[in-house]
Amino acid sequence: MDIIMNLVQWITTIVTIASIVAASTPTPKDDEWIGKLYKFIDLLALNIGKAKEKAPIVESENGDS
């Protein structure tokens, strides 16, 4: 029973910390290494579907997106 309680406690702690990090940092572009790390943090924070924050759209100098 102690193993189950410890497992639930660790999972809750990981999800909570990942949620705090995901909520307090801006979403980077996906093609950078930090973007790949952010995707993993989003997964740990259970940010899926409509809960995910979209990456910012960067416009080029000529006005195209």
Side-chain angles (χ1 to χ4, degrees):
M1 190 67 171
D2 285 338
I3 295 172
I4 295 172
M5 291 303 292
N6 283 336
L7 184 63
V8 169
Q9 184 179 18
W10 276 107
I11 291 172
T12 304
T13 302
I14 291 169
V15 170
T16 302
I17 291 171
S19 296
I20 291 169
V21 170
S24 63
T25 57
T27 304
K29 291 188 277 183
D30 291 340
D31 58 347
E32 299 176 6
W33 70 270
I34 195 79
K36 293 176 184 12
L37 177 63
Y38 191 84
K39 280 186 177 183
F40 181 68
I41 291 173
D42 260 351
L43 180 66
L44 289 178
L46 302 177
N47 290 338
I48 55 174
K50 292 188 177 188
K52 291 178 75 172
E53 186 177 338
K54 302 287 185 206
I57 298 174
V58 180
E59 293 187 18
S60 63
E61 292 180 17
N62 62 3
D64 295 337
S65 357

